[in-house]
Amino acid sequence: MKTIIEPFRIKVVEPLKMTTRAERETALQKAGYNVFLVPAEDVLIDLLTDSGTGAMSSEQWAGIMRGDESYAGARSYYRFEARLQEITGFEHIIPTHQGRASERILFELVGGEGKVIPNNNHFDTTRANIEHSGAKAVDLVIDEGRDPRSRHPFKGNIDLDKLDGLVKEVGVEHIPCVMVTVTNNSGGGQPVSLENLRAVRAFCDRHGLPFFLDACRFAENAYFIQQREPGQADRPVTEIAREMFSLSDGATISAKKDGMVNIGGVLLLRNEELYIGARNLLILTEGFPTYGGLAGRDLEAMAQGFEEVLHEDYLQYRIRSTAYLGEKLLASGIQIVEPPGGHAIYIDAADFCPHIPRSQFPGQALVCALYRHAGIRGVEIGSVMFGAHARMELVRLAIPRRVYTQSQIDYVIEAIQEVHAERDRMRGLKIVEEPPVLRHFTARFAEI
Ligand code: F0G
């Protein structure tokens, strides 16, 4: 069969509210042209993020009922710990309330003034937590990863020559660890090859450096390795994922992605001393080590979610349905980051509306146009989010896991095609109010 279907059926539905164009125009003005500030109720198809927005399975909901809410030593924790040990091979499994809590703990231990931490591309919270510790975050993705048109199969790879250059430039003693984000969210949801991860491991061994993964989307990355990397086609995704983790000394994970839950995170560590330090910080701000800022029921849902995400029929449906959206847009002459990523499609907004200069935020203008036209919410990943660090002006359409049907995605495609046909009417924006950090969440804009 050529048709790939959703490997599930729908048991519970949530109605969507239809709005008029005039209502959306008012909502946009009230929100200062920042869709983070638009009430979700006024959004029809919400592609703001794939984080914490997935649908849980009947087994996960059953786990929610089974949750053991004991303060210490809850049964749900041991189930979660055993599942994560099985998937990752790590002994020390620390639950946190979400990915950035894992980051905050890790960088409080390894970051600090004068340190430099390389990554393929740091996600915004990772960069912010590193900078908050006083350290510097550096992006070293391969050049193909910065070219929206390059069809390189592993555009998330970190550039080993650039990494070597950094070690020579700043000195190995100033680099507390090397990080690699799988898949590379800020670089278009692009995967990292096993060959690249093995090479980073060898590089770190030569220099005595620890190697950490930002493993939010590890299952999607493992599936891409199976599909695209020579010699990997016959290996189960579980085995590939296990090897990815085995190459690292630790990982920060937001379980809101491939953990298939609405809230949760994990911190994995191999080094005993780091683990003890992390556990102490965890108790300080997250909670006792067997719940780490979560309810017992959340740990049950995570234990089950991390198992389901590695089912290959699920991953085939997941990666194929993202590619479907991307390929339809490309076929209509809309430039996206090619090839389609795992969890999202990234439209090249600079190419979409070349009449809007980068200083007037073409990505933000496109985000507003999609909301105004069809109630679709995407997110700008460009000069608004990264300021001067921005390499591209992108609009990300992230696909929540197991949430939207193919006809809803067809609606999204049609809406983007219509906005594209009238793109000359889109206007640039200027910032009228902005906070000192992570400005994209709360900044307000005005149309020029
Ligand atoms: N690392 C990566 C690669 C991420 O994509 C995210 C979150 C985090 C860390 C932080 O995790 O939100 O649980 O604290 N990404 C979401 C997104 C927010 O929309 O891409 P968190």
Side-chain angles (χ1 to χ4, degrees):
M1 293 290 299
K2 280 204 291 292
T3 308
I4 294 165
I5 61 165
E6 291 82 358
F8 50 80
R9 55 185 178 179
I10 297 167
K11 186 175 251 177
V12 177
V13 296
E14 188 181 3
L16 293 172
K17 187 179 107 181
M18 299 292 178
T19 52
T20 64
R21 192 185 176 96
E23 284 166 344
R24 293 192 294 272
E25 187 63 64
T26 306
L28 212 47
Q29 278 170 16
K30 258 197 195 156
Y33 298 93
N34 184 344
V35 292
F36 276 103
L37 307 177
V38 170
E41 223 197 340
D42 296 332
V43 175
L44 186 64
I45 308 282
D46 203 346
L47 307 182
L48 184 68
T49 178
D50 65 320
S51 181
T53 52
M56 292 209 295
S57 67
S58 46
E59 273 310 305
Q60 285 181 292
W61 283 109
I64 293 275
M65 275 312 293
R66 277 195 302 268
D68 174 357
E69 304 303 340
S70 305
Y71 191 94
R75 189 177 61 235
S76 301
Y77 170 75
Y78 294 118
R79 181 158 177 252
F80 160 79
E81 183 192 39
R83 176 58 47 74
L84 267 289
Q85 283 173 339
E86 181 192 322
I87 291 170
T88 67
F90 274 84
E91 188 193 335
H92 299 309
I93 313 287
I94 298 177
T96 61
H97 82 275
Q98 61 182 79
R100 68 197 71 181
S102 303
E103 292 166 1
R104 208 256 312 138
I105 292 170
L106 177 66
F107 299 126
E108 189 163 335
L109 293 168
V110 307
E113 220 53 66
K115 306 265 176 72
V116 181
I117 301 176
N119 203 330
N120 43 1
N121 285 112
H122 289 281
F123 183 66
D124 58 348
T125 60
T126 321
R127 173 178 296 280
N129 272 292
I130 288 172
E131 289 173 355
H132 184 70
S133 82
K136 196 174 156 209
V138 183
D139 291 341
L140 302 179
V141 74
I142 56 171
D143 289 341
E144 289 89 337
R146 291 182 172 149
D147 171 10
R149 287 173 177 77
S150 162
R151 301 282 300 192
H152 191 291
F154 292 103
K155 285 172 83 170
N157 285 355
I158 193 166
D159 190 322
L160 272 295
D161 291 333
K162 291 181 195 164
L163 190 56
D164 195 48
L166 182 78
V167 168
K168 289 190 174 116
E169 183 196 325
V170 306
V172 74
E173 65 281 10
H174 293 113
I175 302 178
C177 64
V178 176
M179 281 197 90
V180 173
T181 305
V182 292
T183 56
N184 188 21
N185 185 8
S186 304
Q190 300 292 325
V192 178
S193 71
L194 205 48
E195 187 189 22
N196 192 245
L197 295 173
R198 287 173 180 158
V200 174
R201 175 73 269 165
F203 180 91
C204 287
D205 285 344
R206 277 201 303 282
H207 292 90
L209 285 169
F211 169 26
F212 288 93
L213 287 175
D214 176 337
C216 295
R217 299 177 181 86
F218 73 99
E220 292 173 3
N221 198 93
Y223 183 74
F224 276 120
I225 288 174
Q226 187 202 55
Q227 296 298 305
R228 294 183 183 170
E229 192 157 343
Q232 300 300 321
D234 296 330
R235 291 178 80 190
V237 173
T238 47
E239 196 182 304
I240 296 170
R242 176 91 181 216
E243 183 178 346
M244 287 164 55
F245 283 110
S246 77
L247 293 166
S248 74
D249 296 295
T252 54
I253 306 180
S254 166
K256 299 168 74 172
K257 286 82 172 175
D258 277 351
M260 308 262 252
V261 289
N262 304 119
I263 195 73
V266 191
L267 176 59
L268 304 174
L269 293 168
R270 229 181 271 291
N271 178 287
E272 197 65 31
E273 201 182 315
L274 261 188
Y275 166 66
I276 290 170
R279 206 177 53 179
N280 290 337
L281 287 177
L282 186 82
I283 294 172
L284 194 65
T285 56
E286 290 282 296
F288 189 73
T290 62
Y291 74 85
L294 292 166
R297 54 179 170 270
D298 298 325
L299 296 167
E300 286 283 344
M302 270 206 275
Q304 181 65 24
F306 277 113
E307 198 261 329
E308 289 175 11
V309 78
L310 288 162
H311 291 189
E312 298 197 8
D313 54 355
Y314 161 75
L315 283 167
Q316 181 191 34
Y317 141 78
R318 168 76 177 157
I319 300 303
R320 188 54 219 140
S321 50
T322 306
Y324 174 82
L325 169 59
E327 284 162 10
K328 293 271 178 180
L329 295 181
L330 271 174
S332 341
I334 296 160
Q335 188 61 48
I336 61 162
V337 173
E338 297 180 61
H343 67 296
I345 292 301
Y346 297 67
I347 300 174
D348 183 343
D351 187 79
F352 195 100
C353 36
H355 63 289
I356 302 179
R358 291 187 78 169
S359 58
Q360 294 180 16
F361 309 117
Q364 193 67 16
L366 178 54
V367 165
C368 291
L370 293 179
Y371 177 72
R372 183 185 281 124
H373 189 71
I376 298 163
R377 179 157 69 169
V379 67
E380 194 261 13
I381 301 203
S383 292
V384 175
M385 186 178 275
F386 295 118
H389 295 290
R391 295 273 177 171
M392 300 188 249
E393 300 299 332
L394 302 176
V395 169
R396 185 184 74 171
L397 305 173
I399 320 289
R401 292 168 182 75
R402 306 188 289 204
V403 170
Y404 292 116
T405 62
Q406 185 166 347
S407 63
Q408 288 167 328
I409 295 299
D410 284 333
Y411 168 91
V412 172
I413 293 163
E414 186 182 337
I416 299 170
Q417 288 165 340
E418 287 181 5
V419 171
H420 191 243
E422 299 197 343
R423 61 191 183 278
D424 295 345
R425 303 207 337 225
M426 286 167 54
R427 288 154 66 189
L429 296 156
K430 63 176 185 214
I431 293 184
V432 293
E433 214 181 289
E434 69 177 302
V437 286
L438 297 174
R439 67 176 177 180
H440 54 286
F441 289 123
T442 53
R444 298 181 70 86
F445 302 82
E447 283 196 308
I448 294 173

